[in-house]
Amino acid sequence: MMVVPLGNINPVKPVNGKDGNVATRTSISTQIAIIGGGPAGLLLSHLLRRSGIENVVLELRDREYTIERVRAGVLEQDAVNLLTDAGLGDRLHHEGQRHDGIYLQYNGSRHHVSFRELVGRSVWVYGQQEVVRDLIDAHDEAGTPARYSVSDIELDNVADGPATVRFTQDGEEFELTADFVAGADGAHGVCRPSIPAAEKTTYQREYPFGWLGILAHVQPSTDELIYALHERGFAMHSMRSDTVSRLYLQVDPHDDITNWSDDRIWDELDLRLGTMGWTLERGEIFDKSITPMRSFVSDPMRFGNLFLVGDSAHIVPPTGAKGLNLAIADASYLHDGMVAWYRNGDASGLDEYSPRSVKRVWQIQHFSAWMTRMLHRFEDSTDAENPENPDYDYQVQLGQLSQLCESPRGMSHLAEIYTGLPFLSHPH
């Protein structure tokens, strides 16, 4: 396997420092500069390296934060296939849990949606931090680790390239020259703001609720994920392993987590997830937080030689379990375009990256918004013309769920999108 260096180090050159004095900045060159060392950036780097394309990954956070950050935990079928084909499947298949369906719960009754029977596909429960850990291990083994704890990242000349990325690491200033920049630095990074406002359109929606999520040392009380609509709000039972459960409650996004004692959380989960003859097992809660929910899209996902990847371009509410999978799809698409360009001088994949990715993003935005609207209580559910009937929308949701669960075609549609739209084929 070809080992690609971190970047060609050139002699230092004088630059004007921030204080006006002359300083030195180490010059580095590479083919692809990747801003962001999360799953999107690390996966793109890994795929490019395996295809013989040199790249450098820059990450603002330190290495341990990147590994330990708790995020999504459901991988689509094609995401698992891609990671496996890329040599990242050993722990995933050993420690991850294949799930062949989900449960939808309403009116106190639980209904199984069998992915295997409906569409012949599955999903895997495997936390994002585990994917990141696998990627970091692969980079360490190849001798191509990311540059962590960098600061003061600035992009220049991304419109027509070669692009310049200036940054500081361990007090030393660097200037990285690259053919292209992949912006995988998330919703609050520097890459998306580097696209002029006149060159992009952003779409967003803030939801009037958040998710209170917990991790608990307790064996899961279910074999597959439970999505529950209750009069008091949404609840979900997921898991991370045979001994760690992941559960969620719909709450006010501005609520203070200190208002939620462990007993209060378990009591509310018991109420919303409860069904006759079923017991929710309790255990030690070792992590809890409240996360606001929103949808966001920035279009296009390319400006000149800068390409946006993952959360830097789009965010979905977690109801459909799509955020990590969208990032993996982006990395796969962009990798394919880069390979075609460097091997054959074919720019069509790069030209098609944004329209193809944005099309997929909006399809997933629809699915995530549909799942969110169907399974959450909204504050504006009161009928303005008939305020004495405040639960009209809730009854509509119950009707929607009963119609869905009684329709094999309806459940097949849910299963098709939940297990994942197909990825593009990619060379190995």
Side-chain angles (χ1 to χ4, degrees), residues 46-324:
H46 178 78
L47 295 175
L48 291 171
R49 177 184 59 78
R50 286 169 62 90
S51 297
I53 299 174
E54 182 183 329
N55 62 88
V56 174
V57 179
L58 306 179
E59 168 57 40
L60 288 174
R61 305 285 189 171
D62 62 57
R63 179 184 170 110
E64 289 307 310
Y65 177 91
T66 305
I67 294 175
E68 298 300 330
R69 188 182 186 193
V70 176
R71 294 290 298 276
V74 177
L75 292 172
E76 298 171 353
Q77 176 87 58
D78 278 7
V80 171
N81 295 345
L82 185 149
L83 293 171
T84 303
D85 291 347
L88 300 165
D90 289 349
R91 269 201 332 126
L92 192 163
H93 288 284
H94 180 69
E95 300 179 17
Q97 302 176 35
R98 193 188 86 180
H99 284 212
D100 296 332
I102 59 171
Y103 294 104
L104 294 177
Q105 181 174 317
Y106 59 96
N107 264 348
S109 61
R110 196 169 293 165
H111 306 263
H112 190 239
V113 181
S114 175
F115 300 155
R116 298 297 295 179
E117 293 180 3
L118 292 164
V119 296
R121 292 163 65 84
S122 302
V123 296
W124 272 253
V125 174
Y126 193 64
Q128 174 173 307
Q129 69 270 28
E130 303 303 332
V131 175
V132 170
R133 189 183 301 272
D134 293 339
L135 283 162
I136 287 177
D137 288 346
H139 280 282
D140 287 346
E141 182 179 351
T144 59
R147 287 176 172 262
Y148 293 97
S149 300
V150 305
S151 60
D152 302 322
I153 296 178
E154 298 177 356
L155 305 185
D156 193 17
N157 203 33
V158 295
D160 50 16
T164 300
V165 183
R166 301 182 184 89
F167 65 95
T168 301
Q169 185 181 33
D170 297 328
E172 184 177 358
E173 295 186 355
F174 295 87
E175 183 172 285
L176 173 61
T177 302
D179 299 332
F180 302 101
V181 175
D185 53 346
H188 306 292
V190 301
C191 290
R192 190 177 69 243
S194 297
I195 301 176
E199 301 293 334
K200 63 187 175 187
T201 302
T202 58
Y203 308 84
Q204 58 185 327
R205 168 168 293 173
E206 302 284 342
Y207 289 90
F209 44 75
W211 275 14
L212 188 161
I214 66 167
L215 285 166
H217 289 301
V218 61
Q219 181 178 350
S221 304
T222 178
D223 57 337
E224 293 178 335
L225 277 64
I226 303 170
Y227 289 80
L229 171 66
H230 190 273
E231 286 181 299
R232 293 175 62 87
F234 170 79
M236 179 179 179
H237 191 325
S238 181
M239 63 283 292
R240 285 295 179 266
S241 70
D242 291 337
T243 59
V244 175
S245 294
R246 181 72 159 155
L247 300 104
Y248 300 95
L249 288 168
Q250 175 186 347
V251 298
D252 185 329
H254 306 295
D255 204 345
D256 190 329
I257 193 63
T258 61
N259 294 329
W260 288 84
S261 67
D262 290 2
D263 285 341
R264 182 187 178 193
I265 292 172
W266 285 119
D267 288 346
E268 193 66 24
L269 286 166
D270 245 334
L271 181 64
R272 299 190 196 181
L273 290 169
T275 59
M276 186 174 297
W278 179 81
T279 300
L280 175 64
E281 300 296 335
R282 301 188 180 200
E284 175 198 359
I285 297 175
F286 64 92
D287 183 88
K288 58 183 175 180
S289 61
I290 295 175
T291 303
M293 294 178 65
R294 69 188 184 106
S295 300
F296 178 88
V297 178
S298 182
D299 183 11
M301 292 171 58
R302 177 186 185 180
F303 174 68
N305 290 341
L306 169 63
F307 298 82
L308 301 183
V309 184
D311 285 359
S312 63
H314 43 72
I315 295 171
V316 290
T319 322
K322 293 302 177 190
L324 175 58

Side-chain angles (χ1 to χ4, degrees), residues 115 119 121 322 411-422:
F115 300 155
V119 296
R121 292 163 65 84
K322 293 302 177 190
M411 289 194 295
S412 294
H413 173 71
L414 187 155
E416 178 186 20
I417 308 302
Y418 197 100
T419 58
L421 298 172

